[in-house]
Amino acid sequence: MSTDFQTSETKTNLMRAFAGESQARNRYDFAAKAAGEQKLYVVEAAFRFTAKQEQAHAKVFYDHLKAFDGTDIAADGGYPVNLTASVAGLLRYAAENERKEHDEVYAAFAETAQREGFLKVAADFRNIAAIEQLHGERFTKFAELIESGKLFIADAECAWMCLNCGHVQTTKAAPELCPVCGHDRGFFIRLAMTPWGVEKG
């Protein structure tokens, strides 16, 4: 027998998830600005790309609360404060926050929703948790590249894309300046790391 949505834990968990995703979007927008100020434009783009996905997650959770239109839902929770000036540090914080969402928070929320009989909500928590795991892996990869000094230098030749104009070239290191649009190295990303990259057969 399903729990009454009005008195369910799932109602509160959805609001907590909505708040968490909304805050993540803002944190990533702030982190993107910090990365851009340090001319790490590719990291700025990664943060903004992920922020947009967090906004989409927030909408999924918020839409489940339509029955409570015009009311207030109290939802206490702990939310991270990540204000380091280090871009690698911001990436590491973001990766850890995503890990917690995947491993702990959304796993527990999904289990509660399942137990209370809200199967679609449970599925959404599980599906979004899987996306958060990918976010964590993305942030970890960028942090590792920065920390190892290999954000713009590869161990072997690879395809690099300029995020400003789309120019692609295959070299061991990203060019200092894009030969097409003149934007600096900070705009280059390994083509294999873009969500829109196409491998050539």
Side-chain angles (χ1 to χ4, degrees), residues 2-90:
S2 296
T3 302
D4 182 355
F5 197 22
Q6 294 279 346
T7 59
S8 68
E9 289 181 55
T10 295
K11 175 191 75 173
T12 303
N13 289 342
L14 282 166
M15 181 53 76
R16 288 178 62 192
F18 170 69
E21 296 288 343
S22 299
Q23 290 183 38
R25 178 201 177 191
N26 283 324
R27 282 196 308 275
Y28 295 163
D29 278 340
F30 300 154
K33 185 174 185 294
E37 288 171 349
Q38 296 182 38
K39 297 187 177 181
L40 296 173
Y41 304 112
V42 63
V43 179
E44 176 185 11
F47 270 124
R48 293 201 188 282
F49 180 76
T50 310
K52 188 69 175 174
Q53 294 178 346
E54 302 295 10
Q55 181 184 29
H57 300 171
K59 186 176 188 306
V60 170
F61 296 137
Y62 200 52
D63 283 349
H64 279 299
L65 295 169
K66 287 179 180 177
F68 302 98
D69 179 45
T71 68
D72 293 336
I73 298 175
D76 293 334
Y79 301 99
V81 177
N82 306 142
L83 293 170
T84 179
S86 163
V87 173
L90 291 171

Side-chain angles (χ1 to χ4, degrees), residues 142-188:
F142 274 109
E144 290 172 347
L145 289 171
I146 290 174
E147 291 163 353
S148 65
K150 293 184 176 180
L151 184 59
F152 302 113
I153 300 174
D155 292 327
E157 284 196 348
C158 68
W160 299 88
M161 173 187 278
C162 172
L163 291 179
N164 182 62
C165 73
H167 168 70
V168 176
Q169 69 179 59
T170 301
T171 49
K172 189 172 180 180
E176 292 293 335
L177 294 174
C178 177
V180 176
C181 68
H183 278 59
D184 72 29
R185 172 178 273 191
F187 284 88
F188 276 85

Side-chain angles (χ1 to χ4, degrees), residues 104-154:
E104 302 168 21
V105 179
Y106 289 168
F109 287 0
E111 184 177 338
T112 298
Q114 187 80 26
R115 173 171 45 81
E116 292 185 332
F118 305 112
L119 304 187
K120 178 63 169 71
V121 176
D124 285 343
F125 275 128
R126 292 191 183 101
N127 288 333
I128 289 176
I131 298 167
E132 306 300 15
Q133 183 176 34
L134 294 175
H135 288 177
E137 292 170 358
R138 176 185 303 154
F139 291 139
T140 297
K141 179 64 175 177
F142 274 109
E144 290 172 347
L145 289 171
I146 290 174
E147 291 163 353
S148 65
K150 293 184 176 180
L151 184 59
F152 302 113
I153 300 174

Side-chain angles (χ1 to χ4, degrees), residues 100 102 163 191:
K100 286 181 180 177
H102 172 266
L163 291 179
L191 186 61

